Amino acid sequence: MITKELVDQINALARKQKSEGLTAEEKQEQDRLRKIYLAGIRQQVIDQLGEPPTKRDQHGHGCSCGCGHHHHHKH
């Protein structure tokens, strides 16, 4: 899962890498964090592609009245 803390850690290591370089341990940590980040991105894409398509009106809204909301109708 991608969290603000994960992104902050990745960015901090990237800044340090540019300014003064990283130790071997920091490089390993950077690689580990990037792998977690990429796995999170992949999962988001899979989740998005796995959602069934919704019926959209001509304006891209999820309802036929044009308000932009999705209404649940009782049958």
Side-chain angles (χ1 to χ4, degrees):
M1 177 178 197
I2 299 173
T3 63
K4 182 181 180 334
E5 291 78 18
L6 175 67
V7 173
D8 288 347
Q9 288 178 301
I10 291 169
N11 289 336
L13 286 170
R15 282 190 297 274
K16 185 175 181 191
Q17 182 179 24
K18 288 179 183 178
S19 66
E20 60 190 86
L22 298 176
T23 66
E25 293 81 18
E26 289 169 329
K27 287 179 184 180
Q28 287 177 338
E29 178 68 359
Q30 184 182 46
D31 186 52
R32 186 184 74 80
L33 294 172
R34 286 178 173 169
K35 286 178 181 176
I36 292 169
Y37 179 83
L38 290 174
I41 294 293
R42 286 185 193 101
Q43 189 59 52
Q44 288 177 1
V45 170
I46 289 168
D47 291 347
Q48 286 288 322
L49 294 175
E51 291 181 14
T54 58
K55 186 173 183 173
R56 303 274 182 199
D57 68 11
Q58 64 182 356
H59 303 291
H61 301 294
C63 70
S64 60
C65 74
C67 72
H69 296 97
H70 179 75
H71 302 282
H72 295 280
H73 298 285
K74 294 182 180 181
H75 297 313

